[in-house]
Amino acid sequence: MKRSTLLKSIAAAAVVGAGALAAAPAMSAEVDGVMDDLRVVKIRAGEPITIGVYEVLSGPDTALGLDQWRGIQVAASDAGDKVAGHAIRFLTEDTGCNAEGGQTAATKIAANTQTVIALGGSCSSATTPAAPILWKAGIPNISTSASSPALTAPDRGPGYDGFVRVIYNDNWAGKEVGDWAVNVMGFKRFATIHDGSPYAEKLVRVFQKRLVELGAELVSDEAVSPTDVDMRPVLTKIATSKPDLIYSPTFVAATAYMLRQKTEIAGLEKTMFVGSDASFGAQLLEAAGKDVVGYKITTTAQEVEAQGEGYPAMREKYKEMFGEYPIQGFHGNGYDAFMMAKNAIEKVAVVKDGATYIPIAALTAAVKATKDHNGMTGMLTCDQYGDCAVYKFAVYEFNSDDKSTLEMGKNPKRIYPEKF
Amino acid sequence: MQKYFDIEFWRRVTYVDVTLWLMRAAVIIVVVWGTIGTLIDGRYSNEQWFDFVMFGLTMGGIYALVALGYTMVYGILRLINFAHGDIFMTGAFTAYFVASPLGKSGFLEENLLISMIIICLTAMVTCVIIALTVERICYRPFRSVRSFAPLICAIGASFFIQHSFRGMYGSSVRAYPDVEFFDKLLSIGSFDFPMIQPVVILAALGSMTGLYLIVMKTRMGTAMRATSEDRDTASLMGIDVNRVIIFTFVLGGSMAGIGGVLYAFVFKQVYFFMGFFPGIKAFSAAVLGGIGNIPGAMLGGFFLGTVESVGPALFLDGLGIVAPYQLRDLIAFTMLVMVLIFRPQGLLGERVSQRA
């Protein structure tokens, strides 16, 4: 091919490509007479319905994702392992709780054009790049525990139009932590540590903003890298400013390093160390050992009595299926995400000549229109930006490093509020 | 100095030279400015500066032990054993299954020395077995081939080891037991530090000294240096090159095993991915000290560890930079680049053979 011809071909391809990209959000489809603004998935009789799942299933944060994946499986079992009359085929991917993992997992799920909806992810770091990849392929996404405010912010961008979540928004969490620390505990001097992840950094920023509003003092604003193991220098720096409380909503590994190494730092003996539910799980007890005692996490209330009415039965079924009681606090979210997806799919599914057709734009609208869904985590209603969760702020404190005692409400024990 | 007054010298100066000078000047200005600002601010007490240095030397001691493996293999084979960080992980992870029951039974506290010997031997044997397997499968077939194949094999081996151990031991974090003796505080004047810190530093120095004596004072060490100088000639002189290379991997693996155990007693957590970043840092330390040079690897490790620990507080606090510890890798690697700009051969330079 001549060079000029080659250049023209490339230019033409670029123009066509750009046109196709620009048209992507407005694409429409018709399959066997079933119309949709986005695309239609046809599931023949006897074929399974495909649902993508992407959670953290390896590394220090495994418990977070595995617990949610188990919650999804309990829900599927409760649904008779069928959605819209079809057996379920889960495409399950591990994100590793990082952006690269989220991107890879979403790309693999998006590559399967039979995927109707995706459930997950567990971490905002992974979900932030994953959700737009899924939506570009016309796959709506119900997140189980990605709580970064940016994911449902009014200016989040069109890539997140197919995204909703059944976890609380950190905007709510960060504000509540600030209120509790200043108004209830009476603390005045604060330090924060984040690990650069969208989850931890945004949560810390909301907390800091609330401190300013309440007239408290931020004496040290620190950050570490997710791969750091030596936290002693950063803790030494914080010790020089003598805070009453260190707020560090980091994940298991980083939190455990801090709890262990905090004891080596002079000047932090009386400083309260508070984290978030991102660090909750049996792995924290293993990793932090006896230094976990006294550590506090803030989260939405997760004891049996604070959950939806069906929760006790779900908990028992979880034990029956996996041989142990829930290993983390977000299995109910996995359950709710699945049930919301199931209800929406069954609402929009069109059955014709033995085949089931799922119009995806209609499915997305149905998911976003979820109202008064009686879930495991409470009564769920989605707002216009995709926040569907119920949030009941609570603070828990660990009282033992014995893994057999791990249970929300017992170890860690709720210290605030006393009653709901 | 005379050359700067020579007009020919200035004619030969290129844009690259000027850029490098400006870079050096900029980094020096930032470092000096930041340091003066921090010291004037007086935020840190002498005890806290001492702590920073001890934290850095502890971390540096671990880097140094791992760096010794990189540097020796490079010295003999001119090969960067990228799987070495993961070999370090295999020892620490396997030894956990010995350390944990010893800790639970109380034997570890009651018989610390014996327990540590058992734990270290477990880690060393594991690391040596894995290192020799990697050498046999990944490196030996390419020994006489001049290509990137061994490097690619090393990277592949790194991932293979990580995921094999993930499959074998699971992806969860495991925690080494607490040892009262290691947590005990030592005092020198107003400076307090836990026992584990000098233990790591002394273990690293002791290992390096032992290794150095082996290389410089034994017949095998002489054979190693000869092989490093010229493998073919060494072979013609009757040296069993295969044996020398195997011995080098045994030594490197042993150092990684000790480093892994010390790392695990300092930081407690072990899991399948734990070797990757310390491996990268240790490799950098080996380059910094002068790849192929045993004392250089040790010096590079201590330098990198100390810069990581002290650097953010000393250089960046004074400039008013928020959250400087997030930039610790940036500082450490900027220092590394600066050292290599000034001394491309590393702090101590040269290979094992040339120092003989």
Side-chain angles (χ1 to χ4, degrees):
Chain A
M1 192 184 281
K2 282 183 185 173
R3 197 177 166 197
S4 58
T5 317
L6 180 67
L7 287 174
K8 280 178 194 166
S9 305
I10 292 170
V15 170
V16 171
L21 275 178
M27 64 184 167
S28 60
E30 185 261 314
V31 176
D32 299 342
V34 178
M35 304 284 292
D36 188 70
D37 289 342
L38 213 51
R39 66 187 183 103
V40 177
V41 176
K42 178 182 177 182
I43 307 154
R44 292 188 178 84
E47 284 185 354
I49 186 166
T50 305
I51 295 177
V53 176
Y54 68 105
E55 309 280 12
V56 49
L57 297 172
S58 68
D61 304 307
T62 303
L64 182 69
L66 183 61
D67 190 50
Q68 292 160 38
W69 169 219
R70 287 177 172 180
I72 292 168
Q73 292 173 82
V74 174
S77 173
D78 278 355
D81 290 317
K82 288 202 166 167
V83 171
H86 291 266
I88 306 160
R89 179 185 170 220
F90 286 115
L91 290 179
T92 309
E93 297 294 338
D94 174 21
T95 66
C97 201
N98 58 56
E100 296 81 7
Q103 208 166 17
T104 309
T107 306
K108 284 167 87 175
I109 291 170
N112 189 320
T113 53
Q114 280 299 102
T115 308
V116 172
I117 193 165
L119 310 179
S122 332
C123 311
S124 299
S125 333
T127 310
T128 303
I133 293 171
L134 293 168
W135 186 236
K136 196 175 170 191
I139 301 171
N141 180 191
I142 306 177
S143 171
T144 42
S145 71
S147 53
S148 170
L151 290 165
T152 54
D155 61 351
R156 60 187 178 157
Y160 296 90
D161 282 351
F163 179 85
V164 304
R165 62 178 162 204
V166 291
I167 180 75
Y168 58 82
N169 184 324
D170 285 336
N171 270 336
W172 315 337
K175 181 179 168 297
E176 294 274 8
V177 181
D179 287 344
W180 167 76
V182 176
N183 296 333
V184 179
M185 299 305 294
F187 292 142
K188 291 186 170 60
R189 297 169 63 81
F190 297 89
T192 56
I193 309 173
H194 67 79
D195 59 6
S197 66
Y199 164 77
E201 186 165 3
K202 297 280 181 191
L203 190 48
V204 157
R205 297 289 170 243
V206 176
F207 174 73
Q208 290 174 347
K209 190 176 164 207
R210 188 60 181 159
L211 293 183
V212 172
E213 288 166 3
L214 295 170
E217 191 183 357
L218 179 70
V219 294
S220 197
D221 175 11
E222 298 301 329
V224 294
S225 295
T227 53
D228 279 354
V229 297
D230 193 356
M231 307 294 180
R232 295 168 301 179
V234 75
L235 292 171
T236 301
K237 188 186 172 198
I238 288 175
T240 61
S241 52
K242 298 182 176 58
D244 299 320
L245 182 147
I246 299 172
Y247 181 51
S248 178
T250 45
F251 291 89
V252 173
T255 305
Y257 286 128
M258 285 186 223
L259 290 173
R260 292 253 191 200
Q261 294 166 24
K262 179 176 170 281
T263 57
E264 289 182 37
I265 311 299
L268 291 181
E269 296 83 358
K270 290 180 182 171
T271 302
M272 184 183 281
F273 197 87
V274 178
S276 75
D277 42 29
S279 60
F280 174 71
Q283 289 209 35
L284 178 72
L285 272 57
E286 165 88 30
K290 64 181 181 347
D291 297 317
V292 81
V293 176
Y295 170 58
K296 295 170 185 60
I297 57 169
T298 63
T299 181
T300 185
Q302 293 179 7
E303 300 101 310
V304 175
E305 55 272 27
Q307 305 293 313
E309 57 191 31
Y311 182 74
M314 184 215 166
R315 194 176 140 76
E316 292 307 319
K317 184 151 190 181
Y318 185 115
K319 168 119 195 306
E320 190 188 313
M321 286 177 71
F322 305 109
E324 59 184 338
Y325 280 117
I327 54 172
Q328 234 271 1
F330 295 111
H331 45 283
N333 300 55
Y335 190 102
D336 287 347
F338 177 87
M339 284 302 183
M340 267 174 63
K342 175 183 176 290
N343 291 347
I345 290 168
E346 291 178 348
K347 195 171 165 188
V348 301
V350 177
V351 180
K352 210 172 166 185
D353 301 330
T356 304
Y357 298 82
I358 314 290
I360 298 296
L363 170 66
T364 309
V367 170
K368 289 168 122 177
T370 299
K371 197 179 173 195
D372 296 334
H373 173 81
N374 194 2
M376 290 299 150
T377 55
M379 200 64 80
L380 307 180
T381 297
C382 297
D383 70 11
Q384 60 177 318
Y385 302 115
D387 273 320
C388 309
V390 178
Y391 187 57
K392 296 173 193 164
F393 176 75
V395 184
Y396 295 84
E397 180 177 318
F398 287 90
N399 46 48
S400 167
D401 64 337
D402 179 357
K403 281 186 277 183
S404 66
T405 64
L406 186 76
E407 185 186 332
M408 270 291 185
K410 291 179 182 161
N411 181 32
K413 191 173 169 46
R414 193 177 72 231
I415 56 168
Y416 178 84
E418 274 184 34
K419 284 182 182 173
F420 285 105
Chain B
M1 283 300 285
Q2 188 63 38
K3 66 179 181 181
Y4 296 115
F5 297 103
D6 184 355
I7 193 81
E8 275 307 307
F9 170 79
W10 291 104
R11 277 198 187 133
R12 287 197 301 271
V13 168
T14 63
Y15 286 114
V16 175
D17 293 328
V18 175
T19 310
L20 285 177
W21 287 337
L22 289 175
M23 240 176 79
R24 291 168 195 170
V27 172
I28 289 169
I29 289 168
V30 168
V31 166
V32 172
W33 193 327
T35 304
I36 291 171
T38 304
L39 295 177
I40 289 173
D41 185 37
R43 176 177 189 154
Y44 302 101
S45 63
N46 289 338
E47 288 77 14
Q48 282 161 336
W49 284 119
F50 179 80
D51 285 346
F52 282 136
V53 172
M54 286 301 282
F55 299 152
L57 291 176
T58 313
M59 194 74 225
I62 293 163
Y63 289 156
L65 282 169
V66 185
L68 288 171
Y70 279 106
T71 221
M72 283 200 314
V73 168
Y74 183 85
I76 301 293
L77 286 177
R78 308 288 183 276
L79 167 83
I80 298 162
N81 178 12
F82 266 116
H84 194 61
D86 299 291
I87 291 170
F88 156 87
M89 171 276 291
T90 63
F93 212 162
T94 305
Y96 160 81
F97 294 99
V98 175
S100 182
L102 287 177
K104 281 179 187 156
S105 66
F107 188 83
L108 181 61
E109 291 283 4
E110 288 161 18
N111 303 281
L112 184 60
L113 187 62
I114 297 171
S115 300
M116 284 304 288
I117 291 170
I118 295 170
I119 294 165
C120 282
L121 278 176
T122 309
M124 288 162 74
V125 168
T126 308
C127 287
V128 166
I129 291 170
I130 302 286
L132 291 179
T133 310
V134 168
E135 189 277 326
R136 184 67 190 83
I137 296 172
C138 300
Y139 303 147
R140 195 176 297 184
F142 302 105
R143 208 182 277 167
S144 54
V145 179
R146 283 189 177 275
S147 77
F148 285 111
L151 185 71
I152 302 300
C153 263
I155 295 169
S158 167
F159 287 113
F160 184 82
I161 293 169
Q162 275 173 29
H163 290 279
S164 301
F165 274 71
R166 177 187 171 179
M168 272 180 359
Y169 297 152
S171 62
S172 305
V173 168
R174 311 280 183 153
Y176 264 56
D178 291 310
V179 179
E180 207 175 298
F181 175 78
F182 288 153
D183 294 340
K184 202 183 286 177
L185 280 183
L186 284 179
S187 295
I188 300 177
S190 60
F191 303 117
D192 296 333
F193 49 91
M195 183 64 89
I196 187 73
Q197 294 179 359
V199 166
V200 172
I201 296 166
L202 291 175
L205 287 171
S207 303
M208 187 218 63
T209 309
L211 208 56
Y212 193 72
L213 290 175
I214 288 172
V215 172
M216 302 308 286
K217 304 285 181 193
T218 64
R219 279 175 66 85
M220 183 53 93
T222 308
M224 284 171 74
R225 284 181 283 137
T227 307
S228 170
E229 187 73 40
D230 188 323
R231 202 188 307 161
D232 294 334
T233 309
S235 182
L236 289 170
M237 298 297 285
I239 291 171
D240 185 344
V241 172
N242 262 340
R243 207 164 144 241
V244 169
I245 292 171
I246 287 171
F247 186 71
T248 306
F249 274 87
V250 168
L251 285 180
S254 303
M255 293 299 113
I258 296 171
V261 170
L262 293 174
Y263 173 97
F265 275 105
V266 175
F267 298 110
K268 298 294 192 290
Q269 296 183 38
V270 290
Y271 73 112
F272 73 95
F273 197 60
M274 62 173 268
F276 187 76
F277 286 102
I280 299 273
K281 299 275 181 72
F283 170 64
S284 310
V287 174
L288 184 67
I291 188 109
N293 186 316
I294 290 172
M298 184 62 48
L299 185 64
F302 282 126
F303 180 87
L304 195 65
T306 309
V307 168
E308 272 186 0
S309 175
V310 179
L314 185 62
F315 307 145
L316 300 186
D317 252 16
L319 299 173
I321 291 173
V322 176
Y325 274 94
Q326 203 175 23
L327 303 176
R328 81 163 97 189
D329 288 347
L330 178 74
I331 295 171
F333 282 92
T334 305
M335 287 294 131
L336 189 142
V337 170
M338 290 307 293
V339 169
L340 294 180
I341 286 175
F342 283 111
R343 277 187 67 81
Q345 70 276 36
L347 288 171
L348 298 188
E350 305 152 39
R351 297 192 310 267
V352 176
S353 57
Q354 290 165 324
R355 292 194 60 81

